[in-house]
Amino acid sequence: MKAGVIGATGYGGAELLRILQSHPTFQIESVYSSSQQGKSIVDHYPHLTDIVPMTLEEIDPAAIAQKLDIVFLATPSGVSSEIAPLLLKEGCTVIDLSGDFRLKDINDYEDWYKKKPAPQEWVDQAVYALPELNRSSIKDTKFISNPGCYSTATLLGLAPLVRQGLIEEKSVIVDAKSGVSGAGQTASFHTIYNELNENFKIYKVNAHQHIPEIEQMLSGLGYESPITFNSHLVPMTRGIMATIYATLKSDISQEKINKVYNDFYEDEPFIRVRKNGIFPATKEVYGSNFCDMGISVDTRTGRVTVVSVIDNLMKGAAGQAVQNANILFGLEETAGLHFIPVYP
């Protein structure tokens, strides 16, 4: 199948090329850029020399639709909202990695993203696709909205507790940390070396745009309250760790909690639940599509702690996008993705 990547010069786009280049079914047919068309992708990413020797093309939805089976939109928020409807009208299958179609209430999008929302009709058509939680809805669509990175780590960590009705409303607190690649390539004061190196920063306090996305999905799972969520920048390139706290409704043993998680994710190829007392580190999922988690019950406080880690560019973006594409086209879900994390 012929695949194209719009926004191929971003970090998410580069990860898509890394995955698709060795995918058994998807073939990289074209790469696109709104600002560097006519240039070689190798000029921007020399590590692709002799691997993806392609010229960045202009974004022409009609021409794209004629030659591609699937298009990955690895564009910033505010861009996909304009491009995706044009591609869909031309009959393309689209997987959007931005946040433009995640929130079903377009007023929420405008409030949290501070951008003009996409038309409601296209937002309604987009399937929010977190495979482990709504796999069945992915198979019958041509338009997927890929979840955010923080949202993926948080929702996967909370889902077993919420589905089983084990935690109190208004009790969820998420303390999340991310590597700086999540901020993209555009330099800012907060991400330059001198500010980030040997430093640890909180940002978007109680105001991160992934908060309504997490709450929207949790509501569908049965948890109706707002959550407390805060994000931090860590001086590393890749990785997210979400440390999640919630109050249990009743006494529950560590063994039972472990069983809840192991049963919930038993058949999930990219979820790895650690043994009792073992907690994951971001390096252990580096460059992979895995989400690793460890769980601890604190009988003294009646709370549970879940530690969930992903690679923000993989399970948090490009890897999950390819996982969704595999499901959508009826391929083996792990196709092109089942490789060992890079370690150390």
Side-chain angles (χ1 to χ4, degrees), residues 47-66:
H47 72 285
L48 297 176
T49 298
D50 296 336
I51 301 172
V52 187
M54 306 185 79
T55 299
L56 291 158
E57 300 179 30
E58 182 181 2
I59 302 168
D60 181 342
I64 290 171
Q66 286 185 355

Side-chain angles (χ1 to χ4, degrees), residues 33-96:
S33 170
S34 60
S35 60
Q36 299 189 50
Q37 59 265 30
K39 297 181 180 179
S40 171
I41 186 72
V42 172
D43 291 340
H44 190 83
Y45 283 127
H47 72 285
L48 297 176
T49 298
D50 296 336
I51 301 172
V52 187
M54 306 185 79
T55 299
L56 291 158
E57 300 179 30
E58 182 181 2
I59 302 168
D60 181 342
I64 290 171
Q66 286 185 355
K67 67 176 180 176
L68 298 181
D69 297 303
I70 184 169
V71 178
F72 294 91
L73 285 177
T75 55
S77 294
V79 176
S80 292
S81 60
E82 298 180 2
I83 298 174
L86 299 176
L87 292 167
L88 292 162
K89 287 177 182 178
E90 295 290 340
C92 273
T93 294
V94 174
I95 297 185
D96 178 37

Side-chain angles (χ1 to χ4, degrees), residues 176-244:
K177 293 96 173 171
S178 175
V180 73
S181 62
Q185 291 183 4
T186 303
S188 70
F189 174 77
H190 297 289
T191 59
I192 61 174
Y193 181 83
N194 288 344
E195 289 296 318
L196 192 63
N197 183 49
E198 298 185 59
N199 203 357
F200 188 21
K201 289 187 174 185
I202 192 168
Y203 69 103
K204 295 184 179 178
V205 179
N206 296 323
H208 199 283
Q209 67 271 20
H210 289 179
I211 293 173
E213 178 186 340
I214 296 168
E215 292 177 348
Q216 175 180 270
M217 191 67 179
L218 286 177
S219 177
L221 296 173
Y223 185 89
E224 301 294 343
S225 302
I227 65 168
T228 295
F229 175 97
N230 277 306
S231 51
H232 307 73
L233 271 181
V234 182
M236 63 185 188
T237 302
R238 293 172 179 256
I240 280 179
M241 176 179 284
T243 306
I244 304 162

Side-chain angles (χ1 to χ4, degrees), residues 71 73 80-81 83-85 88 92-97 100-102 104 118-119 121-129 137-138 140-146 328:
V71 178
L73 285 177
S80 292
S81 60
I83 298 174
L88 292 162
C92 273
T93 294
V94 174
I95 297 185
D96 178 37
L97 279 69
D100 284 357
F101 299 92
R102 293 173 187 158
K104 293 305 180 183
E121 62 177 304
W122 296 107
V123 174
D124 292 341
Q125 288 185 35
V127 172
Y128 183 83
S137 63
I138 298 170
D140 299 316
T141 185
K142 291 178 71 70
F143 185 21
I144 283 177
S145 177
N146 219 51
L328 190 153

